[in-house]
Amino acid sequence: MNIAVTFRHMEATEAVKAYGIEKVARMQRFLRSPMKGQVTLSCQQDRLHSVEVDIHAGHAHFHAHETSEDMYASIDKVIDKIERQIHSAKGFVTAKKKGGERASVRLVAGVGKG
């Protein structure tokens, strides 16, 4: 797992860097292939903080960006977007498999009876 962090138009602080790396590293548990991540943190002139995340894992590519007044809030929001994209992509792959939806419904129904 490789995660690179880039700071633009702002001071590089270890706290923000560690927070961004920690949040992006959590996405590896949803992916099968080893992940490469690029996190770009920037500050615009209106004190708006912008975060952009690119994640590449095998053939899957995910990208999201968010802008808000708080850097930590921007990181949290962009991670939520990436997580939704990953879950959506996994649902698409499961639906494409022959009988994948029927099998998942049977498994979920069987869990409550046990």
Side-chain angles (χ1 to χ4, degrees), residues 4-89:
V5 179
T6 305
F7 290 89
R8 290 192 182 146
H9 310 294
M10 63 182 289
E11 272 188 49
T13 62
E14 279 299 316
V16 173
K17 182 178 179 180
Y19 187 76
I21 289 174
E22 174 192 344
K23 291 290 187 172
V24 173
R26 283 184 169 177
M27 297 298 106
Q28 180 63 57
R29 65 182 171 178
F30 301 119
L31 302 168
R32 289 186 166 204
S33 304
M35 176 181 81
K36 292 181 184 176
Q38 173 66 41
V39 180
T40 305
L41 308 167
S42 62
C43 187
Q44 299 172 355
Q45 68 258 22
D46 300 357
R47 302 292 296 162
L48 291 175
H49 300 279
S50 180
V51 178
E52 186 174 344
V53 176
D54 283 316
I55 293 179
H56 303 280
H59 295 298
H61 303 288
F62 306 100
H63 175 82
H65 58 90
E66 184 64 44
T67 302
S68 72
E69 293 183 5
D70 182 26
M71 182 61 78
Y72 292 98
S74 295
I75 292 171
D76 289 339
K77 288 178 185 177
V78 81
I79 291 301
D80 288 342
K81 286 182 179 182
I82 291 284
E83 192 171 334
R84 263 183 280 147
Q85 289 178 14
I86 291 171
H87 285 299
S88 175

